[in-house]
Amino acid sequence: MLSTEKITNAFKAICEEAERLKNQDDPDQLQAGLSMIVSIAKHQNDIRNSANGSCTAHSKKQQ
């Protein structure tokens, strides 16, 4: 189970990303931001500063 701090930080990150996107006119930036929000929600952690490819959960085979 995740710590309360990680979940709190994830919600904060989601809110920050959503606020940033509210005034976004560029569709590509909007899609990238929405993708980030979905990733944060799925990981339940603020992953915005993680290196690309650092999450191994997506590389596991579905069984």
Side-chain angles (χ1 to χ4, degrees), residues 18-50:
E19 286 292 328
R20 186 180 63 78
L21 291 175
K22 281 176 28 177
N23 297 320
Q24 187 60 252
D25 293 330
D26 182 356
D28 291 334
Q29 290 294 323
L30 183 60
Q31 288 302 313
L34 292 173
S35 178
M36 178 60 69
I37 288 172
V38 170
S39 293
I40 292 168
K42 284 183 178 181
H43 287 84
Q44 298 178 14
N45 198 357
D46 184 355
I47 60 165
R48 293 178 292 179
N49 294 322
S50 299

Side-chain angles (χ1 to χ4, degrees), residues 50-62:
S50 299
N52 283 343
S54 64
C55 177
T56 59
H58 298 288
S59 63
K60 294 179 182 177
K61 288 186 177 180
Q62 297 288 337

